[in-house]
Amino acid sequence: MSLLVVGLSHRSAPVSVLERAALSADAQIKLLQDTVAAEPATEAAVLATCNRIELYADVDKFHAGVAELSTLLAQHSGVGLDELTPYLYVHYEDRAVHHLFSVACGLDSMVVGEGQILGQIKDSLARAQDLHTAGKLLNDLFQQALRVGKRAHSETGIDRAGQSLVTFGLEQLTAGGDVRAWAAGRTALVIGAGSMSSLAAATLARAGVAEIVVANRTFERAERLAEILGEGDDTGTVTARAVRMDAVADELTRADVVVSCTGATGLVLTAEAVAQAVEGRTGAPAAEITDAPRTTAHAKASQPSAGPGGDENCPLDLAAVQPGFSLMGEAAVAGMDAATLEQHAAWVAGGTIDRPGRRTPETDAELITALAATAATVGRIPERRTPEPVAERPAPLVFLLDLAMPRDIDAAVHRLAGVRLVDIESLAEASADAPMAADVDQVRRIVSDEVAAFGAAQRAAHITPTVVALRTMAADVVAGEIARLDGRLPDLDERQRGEIRQAVHRVVDKLLHAPTVRVKQLAAEPGGAGYADALRTLFDLDPETVAAVSRAGDSTEEKDRPA
């Protein structure tokens, strides 16, 4: 059996695709159950966060495993397989281990170095354990990933390279200002009472907000979070209270800061609701800014883009491109080579191609041929939002932080004057330019060392049942010979029998010691899996005996919960 991971993240897919592919808690459970029921997989675990969806499995066939896991992800996410496939990545064996260890250390996070991913990996393992979809391989893998992540944070300064997504989001809300100075005395509304919402509430409390209002569909959970916030405030400067979800509209009128992170599949805050809240604060209708500084994926997808000369001059057959994607995508193009990319960029910009001057009909023909071929291969050209002029905006009255996937807050609120919205999409854009600490290189070395050690341990463990079966066979041979000797020499006293028994055992142990130690060392090296087969062949060991030893080890081995 072999480790396989198939997934997509903010590094491989646009946020609009991640948002549509997000899995609810029930969908994750069903995905796990269906994965282990599928033929190629015997174990499964799902790691689903606001910016990644990954399915880990122990499979017996690589290609069949990739096909099955990709199909299952598409089925349970509701995104068609043909549309999802260009954004999927696949890691196998040591590369899969390296990927998870990198994720655990925060190297693959939207905010490099953030530690919240450790809690999400812990929850992922606990869910798989509860559903009995995690066996020895995934238990070992996820437990070790947690240890590697903790080691990276304790032995390096990776924490200085990044921060939690909540902290990063609050910094984006302040537009680079001091979070404590910005938060002091404000009223915050936190929608949701899960781990991310709890972290946001605690972060706001530490930042110095005067009041935190927690709203949740389950009122008891909101009450519990408010109690925890109150108990954890030693200064007595933060007031925390819980409200029901139907009170959010009223609280929105009072709140200066809103953080939302729920598991809802639809919008929690519409643009109309936010506009009404702004009107409630100012007494005047919220103005709409028509040239907002950011165009969302939804807004862009709703209307096909045209080049400088209109659709008729686009070097693509519009019918060959799937609807819902912009033709202006200069960079986020799966499978487009550099030359074709440059050609398309030249058309979009209305610029030149390899030489000064406007394009000619001949160069347009070259563009059409090259880009139509790309569209036929890729199926579409994914969009990339292009910068637009930033309008003069009044100082915001309401700050909104949307950490949900799919999003909780209507992206259209970007166009409302007096409102600043930061969501997963804008965080992804901002984090692309975030500096990385020098400690990242040290963490990468830790990951490489741990991957090698994990692989060696797994390979060594693979041969252990064979070695145990060999020693069991040797012990049976010794016992049989001692019994035969007892029958042939009945006059031996107990002391003599003991001496003979010890001498025979010492001979067998010495003969087996060097080969078994050496075979474990060799098996731990890359390509050492064949030594177990060689040992079974040389000593004519019964495969069923080896399998029985392996099953016994699995049943008696303690499966600890993630610490």
Side-chain angles (χ1 to χ4, degrees):
M1 303 300 286
S2 302
L3 177 65
L4 174 68
V5 57
V6 177
L8 66 161
S9 73
H10 65 284
R11 294 186 182 275
S12 70
V15 173
S16 57
V17 174
L18 281 174
E19 184 178 36
R20 292 170 53 210
L23 297 172
S24 66
D26 289 342
Q28 292 178 43
I29 292 173
K30 191 67 167 61
L31 175 58
L32 286 174
Q33 293 170 336
D34 288 354
T35 301
V36 294
E39 183 178 346
T42 58
E43 302 181 32
V46 173
L47 179 57
T49 71
C50 59
N51 52 35
R52 76 177 61 250
I53 304 160
E54 296 176 343
L55 178 56
Y56 292 78
D58 188 7
V59 300
D60 58 3
K61 298 181 182 67
F62 172 73
H63 292 97
V66 172
E68 187 65 32
L69 266 59
S70 301
T71 300
L72 287 169
L73 274 175
Q75 288 176 350
H76 290 276
S77 67
V79 180
L81 182 60
D82 290 343
E83 183 178 351
L84 193 64
T85 297
Y87 305 113
L88 293 177
Y89 47 77
V90 174
H91 298 298
Y92 190 58
E93 291 288 54
D94 284 354
R95 290 302 307 169
V97 177
H98 189 281
H99 175 73
L100 181 59
F101 287 4
S102 298
V103 169
C105 293
L107 292 179
D108 199 59
S109 295
M110 189 179 292
V111 181
V112 174
E114 61 94 8
Q116 188 182 5
I117 186 65
L118 286 174
Q120 294 163 332
I121 292 174
K122 178 180 175 181
D123 292 342
S124 176
L125 176 56
R127 184 186 305 107
Q129 288 174 332
D130 288 341
L131 295 171
H132 305 290
T133 63
K136 177 172 173 49
L137 176 60
L138 292 186
N139 268 286
D140 290 348
L141 175 69
F142 275 67
Q143 292 280 10
Q144 188 61 26
L146 291 170
R147 286 189 282 267
V148 173
K150 291 175 183 176
R151 179 188 169 194
H153 284 280
S154 63
E155 294 184 12
T156 75
I158 188 67
D159 292 331
R160 296 193 298 270
Q163 56 220 303
S164 75
L165 202 58
V166 171
T167 305
F168 188 59
L170 293 178
E171 288 189 353
Q172 294 303 304
L173 282 181
T174 68
D178 181 70
V179 173
R180 287 186 173 274
W182 166 82
R186 293 186 184 272
T187 297
L189 171 62
V190 176
I191 305 176
S195 58
M196 184 76 82
S197 300
S198 300
L199 176 61
T203 303
L204 287 167
R206 289 194 300 270
V209 296
E211 182 182 13
I212 298 176
V213 181
V214 182
N216 193 58
R217 295 189 186 280
T218 305
F219 181 64
E220 291 73 19
R221 294 191 65 183
E223 281 187 313
R224 179 57 185 151
L225 178 55
E227 289 174 5
I228 293 172
L229 293 171
E231 293 169 358
D233 178 33
D234 298 330
T235 63
T237 57
V238 180
T239 301
R241 58 187 176 87
V243 298
R244 302 185 185 279
M245 286 296 290
D246 56 11
V248 165
D250 292 335
E251 296 296 338
L252 195 59
T253 306
R254 301 177 55 252
D256 304 303
V257 185
V258 180
V259 180
S260 186
C261 186
T262 73
T265 55
L267 293 175
V268 174
L269 292 181
T270 63
E272 291 76 14
V274 176
Q276 290 173 6
V278 172
E279 183 176 355
R281 296 173 71 100
T282 62
E288 182 173 324
I289 301 176
T290 56
D291 55 343
R294 176 170 170 264
T295 304
T296 67
H298 295 300
K300 197 75 170 180
S302 64
Q303 49 184 356
S305 302
D311 286 351
E312 66 276 7
N313 293 327
C314 174
L316 274 179
D317 178 7
L318 296 183
V321 182
Q322 289 186 0
F325 287 87
S326 167
L327 302 179
M328 302 280 285
E330 299 98 325
V333 182
M336 182 180 283
D337 58 50
T340 307
L341 185 63
E342 184 178 356
Q343 290 174 325
H344 188 230
W347 171 77
V348 171
T352 62
I353 303 174
D354 296 332
R355 61 182 180 273
R358 300 293 293 179
R359 292 190 307 275
T360 65
E362 289 77 14
T363 57
D364 269 341
E366 294 175 6
L367 284 170
I368 293 170
T369 301
L371 291 173
T374 298
T377 301
V378 179
R380 63 189 178 280
I381 297 182
E383 70 166 322
R384 183 184 183 184
R385 292 179 306 280
T386 53
E388 297 181 3
V390 178
E392 289 294 328
R393 299 177 66 98
L397 299 171
V398 181
F399 298 83
L400 306 174
L401 177 58
D402 185 357
L403 298 175
M405 181 63 69
R407 69 190 73 195
D408 280 347
I409 303 175
D410 191 345
V413 303
H414 276 294
R415 299 185 179 277
L416 296 178
V419 176
R420 178 175 295 161
L421 170 64
V422 170
D423 57 17
I424 292 296
E425 193 165 20
S426 54
L427 287 177
E429 294 169 352
S431 65
D433 299 324
M436 295 174 62
D439 300 85
V440 168
D441 287 337
Q442 185 180 351
V443 173
R444 287 177 175 149
R445 289 192 292 271
I446 289 175
V447 168
S448 297
D449 292 344
E450 291 285 357
V451 169
F454 183 83
Q458 290 295 307
R459 289 187 291 269
H462 178 69
I463 203 170
T464 297
T466 302
V467 172
V468 171
L470 174 60
R471 288 192 170 276
T472 300
M473 183 189 75
D476 291 342
V477 171
V478 169
E481 290 301 314
I482 293 295
R484 190 174 68 86
L485 185 64
D486 288 344
R488 295 184 62 182
L489 300 173
D491 296 333
L492 292 176
D493 59 31
E494 200 57 40
R495 185 185 64 80
Q496 292 170 327
R497 292 177 190 281
E499 287 291 339
I500 294 172
R501 190 179 297 110
Q502 288 182 9
V504 175
H505 277 294
R506 281 196 298 271
V507 170
V508 172
D509 286 342
K510 287 183 178 180
L511 286 174
L512 292 181
H513 177 72
T516 53
V517 169
R518 184 62 180 145
V519 80
K520 286 183 178 180
Q521 293 171 342
L522 292 171
E525 297 175 359
Y531 286 99
D533 296 333
L535 206 60
R536 288 192 292 269
T537 301
L538 288 171
F539 287 92
D540 195 23
L541 296 175
D542 182 6
E544 182 54 36
T545 302
V546 177
V549 173
S550 181
R551 287 194 297 270
D554 288 345
S555 63
T556 57
E557 183 176 336
E558 183 180 354
K559 297 292 191 298
D560 293 333
R561 288 284 178 171

